[in-house]
Amino acid sequence: MNIVKLGIIGIGAEGGLYAGFLAEGKVNNMVIGAICDIDPDKKAMCAEKYPDIPFYDNYIEMLDSNNVDAIVTCVPHYLHPEMGINALKRNIHALVEKPAGVYTKQVQELNEYAATKPELTFAIFFNQRTNPLYQKLKSLIDSGEIGEIRRTNWLITTWWRPQGYYDQSEWRATWGGEGGGVLVNQAPHQLDLLQWICGMPTKVYSNVKFGYQRKIAVEDEVTAMFDYENGATGVFITCTHDVMGTDRFEILGDKGKIVVDDSKKITIKRLIKPEAEMSSSMSMQDVMKIFMGQGASEIYSEEVLEFESVWGAQHIAVLENFAANIVDGTPLIAPGSDGIHGVRLANAIHLSSFLGKQVEIPFDEDLYLAELNKKIEDEKSNS
């Protein structure tokens, strides 16, 4: 197979974006095989825009049509695992949008089924993993440039959404429709990057506000604290009500610090000596120089790296990588099985706030699902 025929399930904002890239020939080894959507208006739009592309209002019919070799799931989060499994059952490759699902039990079911079909390509749409900045950041951490991690801090509040955004459709920002708010809609990329680069925390304690500044049932404000296996700590803060927004990611190690600003600039400060060695060997005279702002160059060196992000390039890179894996076995940037990690972290943050206490990772998945179902039932009774 040299050309992969992709079935796009859901032709909304994301699906429409991918269809445009494919129609314009921007993705190597891939074309549109078919489009599926349950909205009659989308059918009329596609008839005009993509007249030669088969259109379906039932994704199972599309899977059984022989018109597609692979699919991408641009649909509400709860449906991703089900659609992924149904594609793989028919020997159709699956690219699942983020998040991989709403709760870990359903994502685990997808992962376990995919493992029985190793000949098929199963990937997740983590386009930020193709971002040269975050690839560089991961290589810096993996290579030990700043030593063992001591603390992580990510303040990411660039997700401002007005009330009108939430009022667009009944399923948006609901427990039953989306399974959460900012953690499952806007921030899955950051949760994935956090664990991909720094590792998965072992304990989570969170303060999550539900409907804090918006008339919604789910979270629009999150502050989470992490413990890591090596004793390191972390803080993750996100929200959808900061119209000015901040994106700052700091990783402190015992040999230096890395700061990422606005996902565009990396500042690397490398200590001349490891911090523990400085602490045990420096005289108070030398310490006073530091306190007075002198001799910084004797303590650390500084390097600044600037990155430019071309809009759409990351999405094209994921589609191309997916196609290349199918065509010639090129390694996946984001294997589908990786999707569970960010879902697990989001679930842990939710569960800590549901219970009002610290939770360990892994947590009781049945307990999480029971608590989520309570939220869904409460939502139904209040609607």
Side-chain angles (χ1 to χ4, degrees), residues 297-319:
S297 62
E298 297 172 20
I299 299 167
Y300 64 86
S301 64
E302 183 170 320
E303 180 183 6
V304 177
L305 305 174
E306 302 270 1
F307 294 81
E308 281 190 24
S309 182
V310 179
W311 188 87
Q314 296 165 11
H315 297 87
I316 291 170
V318 171
L319 291 168

Side-chain angles (χ1 to χ4, degrees), residues 80-81 84-85 88 96 100 106-115 122:
H80 294 169
I85 290 170
L88 295 168
V96 177
Q106 64 166 180
V107 179
Q108 187 61 34
E109 186 181 349
L110 169 61
N111 284 0
E112 287 174 358
Y113 188 81
F122 170 44

Side-chain angles (χ1 to χ4, degrees), residues 137 140-141 144-154 197-198 248-261 265-275 278 299-305:
L137 179 59
L140 288 167
I141 297 300
E145 283 277 334
I146 61 167
E148 187 175 26
I149 294 175
R150 290 183 170 183
R151 188 180 67 242
T152 66
N153 292 303
W154 203 338
I197 293 166
C198 303
R248 185 177 177 87
F249 185 17
E250 294 190 9
I251 306 172
L252 175 67
D254 59 359
K255 295 181 181 178
K257 177 190 278 191
I258 297 176
V259 179
V260 180
D261 287 302
K265 182 175 78 171
I266 295 179
T267 302
I268 310 160
K269 295 185 178 183
R270 299 177 177 90
L271 290 171
I272 306 301
K273 297 178 182 178
E275 188 278 333
M278 290 174 57
I299 299 167
Y300 64 86
S301 64
E302 183 170 320
E303 180 183 6
V304 177
L305 305 174

Side-chain angles (χ1 to χ4, degrees), residues 7-10 34-40 43 54-68 71 75 82-83 86 90:
I8 300 172
I9 308 178
I35 295 170
C36 178
D37 203 294
I38 59 174
D39 184 349
K43 182 176 184 178
F55 185 94
Y56 298 87
D57 58 12
N58 181 306
Y59 85 95
I60 296 292
E61 288 181 12
M62 185 187 77
L63 294 178
D64 291 336
S65 69
N66 292 322
N67 285 321
V68 300
I71 59 152
V75 294
E82 169 199 314
M83 290 183 170
N86 277 324
R90 291 161 173 79

